[in-house]
């Protein structure tokens, strides 16, 4: 009895989609830091001013390598999207995003003075000045132990933050208190304070700090559209005035439709160009705004000592800016649609005018053809007379000897031949014309086939 043939072995890699492991690893590529109380977090985000999504990312890697080499840490890979290393007593985390790169440094221990600019020593000023791009976010997070009496936090908040705009909330079911005023201090840093309960784990504390840093970063990134929208609104005001004037003059027959169409096409080109230039920014702003709201929701905030919450602050200060951006996007889309509809109407008007011109041209051609037909009939009549004249003369010479022998006078002979010749020539001309018409009809029929 023969043994069955061995089935070919299939490895897991052959069964899996080529991107399966890459997609799963991406879920764990950027873990939250694990922080112990007390500590300080220093955060930077750099963005190229123009076309940041298409920047040369190798320059970002080189800038990161310059920093880690100062501390003797391993160099990052050339195609790295994230990096983590220990730089002395500082833990560094670097991430590359679509439009920006971020640096976060975490230092354990209680500083002598909270929010001291010297705490950012791991990011030297000369190194920051050589960054490929400019800072869009710079924040310090002071993490301290929550006092037994929550009222002891109040004087600290008064000394660290401005009263106007101060936000203070309890997060994660009261296990921590977060405070900020969303202002930039004289040293250029935005301040966040976190008071953590002793039972708050290192992982949860790290996620709280990371959410705050992401909240500030994506808030800043989303608001980058606001200055551009203000300039765009000024442009749209001018274009809308011109568009309205053009639409109102669509029914004006005193102006050539081709001239108005050219003006409308020029205006439509400017609108389409503006929509193309700002389309990416509008889409990115929507995405960043959604992340901001998501980060606030993930903190599960509650009011602390009657202070305003993060959500209330965003509703009052952040959402109006986002609504301005959304309004500009909708207005630009509406203007593009209006220009397109006006163009269709104008093209319809041009087509109608051209149809009328073509109809008039066809009528003139018909009249000209009728005139040519009449001239042709006239020429045919003259041709019959001329051909008959010469034919009678020739026949007269041919039959004259016979007529002379028969005693018939030449004049009588010619008078008798003339009607016969004229009739014969006329019938011959009609037959030729009929054949020509039949041949033309046959060619037209084959052309239709």
């Amino acid at each position: 009895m023969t043994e069955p043939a061995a089935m070919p072995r299939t490895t897991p890699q052959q069964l899996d989609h080529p991107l399966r492991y890459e997609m799963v690893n991406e879920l764990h590529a950027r873990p939250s830091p694990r922080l112990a109380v007390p500590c300080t977090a220093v955060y930077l985000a750099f963005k190229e001013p123009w076309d940041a999504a298409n920047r040369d990312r190798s320059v970002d890697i080189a800038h990161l390598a310059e920093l880690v080499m100062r501390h003797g840490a391993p160099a990052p890979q050339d195609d790295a999207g994230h990096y983590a290393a220990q730089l002395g007593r500082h833990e560094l985390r670097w991430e590359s995003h679509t439009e920006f790169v971020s640096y976060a440094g975490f230092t354990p221990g209680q500083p002598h003075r909270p929010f001291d600019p010297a705490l950012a020593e791991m990011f030297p000023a000369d190194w920051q000045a050589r960054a490929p791009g400019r800072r869009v976010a710079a924040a310090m997070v002071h993490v301290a132990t929550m006092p037994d009496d929550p009222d002891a936090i109040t004087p600290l908040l008064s000394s660290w933050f401005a009263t106007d705009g101060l936000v203070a909330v309890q997060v994660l079911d009261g296990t921590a208190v977060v405070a900020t005023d969303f202002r930039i201090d004289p040293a250029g840093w935005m301040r966040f304070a976190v008071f953590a309960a002793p039972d708050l784990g290192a992982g949860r504390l790290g996620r709280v700090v990371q959410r705050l840093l992401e909240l500030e970063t994506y808030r800043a990134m989303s608001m980058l559209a606001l200055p551009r929208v203000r300039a765009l609104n000024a442009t749209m005001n001018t274009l809308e005035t011109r568009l309205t004037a053009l639409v109102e003059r669509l029914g004006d027959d005193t102006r050539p439709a081709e001239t108005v169409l050219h003006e409308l096409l020029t205006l439509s080109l400017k609108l389409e160009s503006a929509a193309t230039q700002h389309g990416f920014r509008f889409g990115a702003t929507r995405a960043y705004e959604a992340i901001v709201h998501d980060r606030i929701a993930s903190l599960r905030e509650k009011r602390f000592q009657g202070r305003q919450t993060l959500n209330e602050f965003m509703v009052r200060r952040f959402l109006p800016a986002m609504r301005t951006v959304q309004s500009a996007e909708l207005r630009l889309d509406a203007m593009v649609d209006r220009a397109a509809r006006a163009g269709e109407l104008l093209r319809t008007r041009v087509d109608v005018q051209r149809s009328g011109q073509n109809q008039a041209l066809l009528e003139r051609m018909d009249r000209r053809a009728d005139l040519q037909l009449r001239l042709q009939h006239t020429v045919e009549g003259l041709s019959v007379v001329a051909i008959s004249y010469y034919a009678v003369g020739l026949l007269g010479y041919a039959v004259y000897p016979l007529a002379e022998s028969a005693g018939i006078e030449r004049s009588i002979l010619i008078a008798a031949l003339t009607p016969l010749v004229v009739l014969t020539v006329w019938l011959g001309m009609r037959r030729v014309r009929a054949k020509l018409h039949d041949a033309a009809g046959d060619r037209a029929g084959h052309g239709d086939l």
Side-chain angles (χ1 to χ4, degrees):
M1 181 180 225
T2 59
E3 295 183 358
M7 297 296 292
R9 293 184 178 180
T10 304
T11 63
Q13 287 76 8
Q14 293 174 328
L15 288 174
D16 293 331
H17 189 279
L19 298 178
R20 181 189 176 201
Y21 284 90
E22 181 179 348
M23 291 184 293
V24 172
N25 292 336
E26 184 64 24
L27 298 176
H28 308 282
R30 306 167 194 258
S32 301
R34 299 182 63 84
L35 303 177
V37 183
C39 66
T40 299
V42 181
Y43 178 83
L44 295 171
F46 295 97
K47 176 188 176 299
E48 291 282 358
W50 305 106
D51 198 19
N54 297 318
R55 68 187 183 279
D56 184 0
R57 297 176 186 268
S58 64
V59 180
D60 298 333
I61 298 292
H63 190 238
L64 170 64
E66 179 187 351
L67 176 66
V68 300
M69 287 176 62
R70 293 190 181 194
H71 298 269
Q77 296 180 359
D78 294 338
D79 58 347
H82 50 86
Y83 176 85
Q86 192 69 33
L87 308 184
R89 60 192 298 263
H90 310 290
E91 179 187 354
L92 173 68
R93 288 176 178 264
W94 173 88
E95 295 182 0
S96 177
H97 301 266
T98 302
E99 291 192 276
F100 65 93
V101 294
S102 62
Y103 294 81
F106 306 98
T107 306
Q110 182 72 39
H112 295 291
R113 188 178 68 173
F115 305 109
D116 187 350
L119 297 172
E121 60 182 7
M122 66 176 300
F123 301 123
D126 62 330
W127 173 83
Q128 293 188 49
R130 291 192 298 274
R134 293 294 179 265
R135 290 193 317 190
V136 291
M140 282 191 182
V141 183
H142 175 70
V143 182
T145 304
M146 184 184 299
D148 296 333
D149 183 7
D151 292 336
I153 298 177
T154 302
L156 297 177
L157 299 183
S158 300
S159 61
W160 293 344
F161 303 107
T163 304
D164 182 20
L166 175 61
V167 174
V169 295
Q170 299 180 55
V171 299
L172 301 183
D173 303 322
T175 56
V177 173
V178 172
T180 183
D181 57 3
F182 287 103
R183 294 181 181 273
I184 301 175
D185 67 14
W189 300 91
M190 185 169 290
R191 299 178 175 183
F192 292 90
V194 177
F195 297 91
D199 59 346
L200 184 62
R204 297 186 72 190
L205 177 59
R207 287 192 291 273
V208 169
V209 173
Q210 184 176 14
R211 296 296 182 266
L212 292 176
L213 297 177
E214 291 173 345
L215 171 62
E216 165 55 18
T217 303
Y218 290 110
R219 177 209 60 79
M221 291 297 298
S222 60
M223 294 189 70
L224 287 177
L226 186 60
R228 297 182 63 175
V229 160
R230 288 171 177 167
L232 177 62
N233 280 331
T235 302
M236 287 194 295
N237 290 338
T238 302
L239 295 179
E240 188 169 26
T241 301
R242 292 176 55 189
L243 178 60
T244 302
L246 282 173
V247 172
E248 291 177 351
R249 293 199 300 267
L250 287 180
D252 186 2
D253 295 332
T254 60
R255 297 190 64 194
E258 288 81 359
T259 302
V260 181
L261 182 59
H262 178 72
E263 294 179 7
L264 184 58
L265 290 176
T266 302
L267 183 60
S268 298
L269 179 61
K270 292 181 179 180
L271 289 173
E272 289 290 350
S273 176
T276 302
Q277 292 174 4
H278 295 83
F280 176 83
R281 179 52 49 201
F282 286 142
T285 299
R286 289 194 300 271
Y288 295 145
E289 180 190 3
I291 295 176
V292 168
H293 294 303
D294 177 74
R295 296 302 181 263
I296 294 176
S298 65
L299 291 172
R300 303 199 302 273
E301 62 176 349
K302 295 181 180 179
R303 195 179 303 278
F304 177 73
Q305 295 184 346
R307 305 285 185 179
Q308 66 177 334
T309 64
L310 289 168
N311 189 61
E312 289 174 345
F313 180 89
M314 292 300 172
V315 169
R316 292 180 53 213
R317 311 291 178 87
F318 176 71
L319 283 187
M322 295 299 97
R323 287 170 181 161
T324 300
V325 175
Q326 294 170 6
S327 174
E329 181 181 10
L330 295 175
R331 182 185 180 191
L332 181 58
D333 291 342
M335 289 180 64
V336 171
D337 292 340
R338 285 178 57 197
R341 290 195 300 270
E344 291 295 333
L345 291 174
L346 192 54
R347 279 189 287 270
T348 302
R349 175 186 167 191
V350 171
D351 291 341
V352 170
Q353 290 182 350
R354 288 178 178 174
S355 298
Q357 294 172 357
N358 293 338
Q359 183 66 29
L361 179 61
L362 291 174
E363 291 177 355
R364 289 196 298 270
M365 292 176 64
D366 288 341
R367 289 195 297 270
R368 194 170 301 162
D370 183 65
L371 179 60
Q372 290 177 351
L373 182 60
R374 292 182 182 180
L375 290 174
Q376 181 181 356
H377 290 167
T378 302
V379 171
E380 287 178 358
L382 295 175
S383 299
V384 169
V385 173
I387 294 172
S388 299
Y389 173 76
Y390 288 106
V392 169
L394 291 174
L395 288 175
Y397 285 114
V399 301
Y400 181 70
L402 298 175
E404 186 178 6
S405 63
I408 301 174
E409 294 184 4
R410 183 178 182 181
S411 58
I412 296 174
L413 177 62
I414 292 176
L417 290 175
T418 298
L420 296 175
V421 171
V422 171
L423 180 61
T424 302
V425 172
W426 179 72
L427 291 175
M429 292 289 291
R430 286 194 61 183
R431 185 175 182 182
V432 171
R433 185 173 62 187
K435 288 184 176 181
L436 291 176
H437 286 178
D438 292 341
D442 292 339
R443 286 197 296 270
H446 289 305
D448 293 338
L449 292 177

